């Protein structure tokens, strides 16, 4: 039986680095760090600090999982698939812990991200333009009655003049088009007290995508795929077994087929999660 490491060191250690070999590229893909050149002011991608956060959470026994290494190793079918894909079971254990913990931290305990100011302005412009019907002898015409209300404390300022509202939309639209607003202050962009969660199926999707990312960084795994395929059948079955092992999906039938995996990958392929990870923030 595999014996997991008791604690990770934060100093470079060859053996510990090897244990997290599958974690590093996934962490870099999902949570890279950024730095900037002091001379040019340009930003550049730096090495992710997420693996160190993972080690800290592992050492403090804060990882979200309830499944055990015994359950993982005793799943003979899963271990058979890993062996067929030439994946190291011990290294994959730490990948599994990381992907589950990271997925839970963003999907089920995520920190809400407010829109950028530019996005609020664009929403206002789009709402006005979508109701605009043209202009007549008296100016702007709208399909539905329209007004803008600005609340300042208990005081309301109401703009219900069609021409004024049309001008506001035009001024805002021109401003977005002709001005560099990338440095516009973001205000309270993140409120760490506002947590939100998604459905279990979104968690299953996000977790599965992280495992797929790990597969994509292993050349020997990609070589076993059919020409033009994004995943091999064995890769799909690994994920199917993991969804059940982690109890993301409690129905044991998920282990017998890749139908559920195919369904969530299709359903959520265009989904963007606007949240920060509360565990890896």
């Amino acid at each position: 039986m595999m014996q997991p490491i008791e604690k990770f060191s934060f100093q470079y250690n060859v053996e510990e680095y090897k244990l997290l070999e599958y974690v590093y590229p996934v962490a870099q893909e999902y949570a890279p760090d950024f730095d900037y050149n002091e001379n040019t002011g340009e930003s550049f991608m730096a090495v992710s600090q997420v693996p160190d956060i993972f080690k800290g959470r592992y050492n403090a026994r804060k990882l979200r999982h309830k499944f055990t290494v015994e359950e993982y190793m005793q799943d003979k079918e899963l271990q058979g698939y890993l062996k067929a894909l030439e994946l190291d079971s011990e290294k994959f254990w730490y990948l599994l812990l990381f992907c589950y913990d990271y997925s839970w931290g963003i999907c089920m305990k995520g920190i809400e991200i407010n829109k950028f100011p530019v996005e609020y302005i664009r929403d206002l412009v789009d709402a006005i333009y979508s109701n605009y019907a043209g202009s007549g002898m008296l100016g702007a015409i709208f399909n539905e009655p329209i007004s803008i209300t600005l609340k300042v404390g208990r005081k309301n300022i109401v703009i219900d003049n069609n021409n004024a509202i049309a001008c506001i939309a035009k001024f805002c639209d021109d401003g977005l088009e002709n001005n560099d607003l990338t440095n516009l202050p973001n205000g309270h962009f993140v409120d760490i007290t506002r947590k939100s969660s998604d459905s279990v199926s979104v968690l299953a999707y996000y977790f599965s995508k992280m495992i797929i990312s790990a597969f994509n960084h292993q050349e020997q795994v990609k070589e076993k795929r059919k020409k033009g395929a994004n995943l091999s059948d064995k890769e799909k079955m690994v994920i199917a077994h993991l969804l059940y092992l982690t109890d993301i999906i409690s129905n044991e039938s998920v282990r017998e087929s890749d139908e559920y995996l195919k369904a969530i990958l299709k359903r959520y392929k265009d989904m963007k999660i606007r949240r920060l990870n509360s565990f890896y923030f």
Side-chain angles (χ1 to χ4, degrees), residues 63-103:
L63 296 181
R64 183 63 179 67
H65 74 98
K66 292 182 180 179
F67 52 91
T68 66
V69 68
E70 289 79 16
E71 292 170 324
Y72 167 73
M73 292 302 296
Q74 288 168 6
D75 187 334
K76 297 306 179 184
E77 288 188 9
L78 171 60
Q79 295 304 319
Y81 290 130
L82 293 177
K83 185 176 181 179
L85 292 169
E86 300 179 62
L87 291 167
D88 184 285
S89 288
E90 188 173 19
K91 295 176 183 178
F92 200 86
W93 168 248
Y94 297 104
L95 172 73
L96 171 59
L97 293 178
F98 170 67
C99 290
Y100 182 78
D101 194 54
Y102 192 92
S103 298

Side-chain angles (χ1 to χ4, degrees), residues 94-136:
Y94 297 104
L95 172 73
L96 171 59
L97 293 178
F98 170 67
C99 290
Y100 182 78
D101 194 54
Y102 192 92
S103 298
W104 192 277
I106 196 168
C107 294
M108 309 308 284
K109 292 288 184 181
I111 300 171
E112 288 189 10
I113 299 177
N114 297 324
K115 292 180 181 179
F116 285 106
V118 168
E119 292 177 289
Y120 283 110
I121 297 170
R122 173 51 62 195
D123 286 347
L124 173 66
V125 172
D126 289 345
I128 296 172
Y129 279 172
S130 66
N131 192 36
Y132 183 69
S135 60

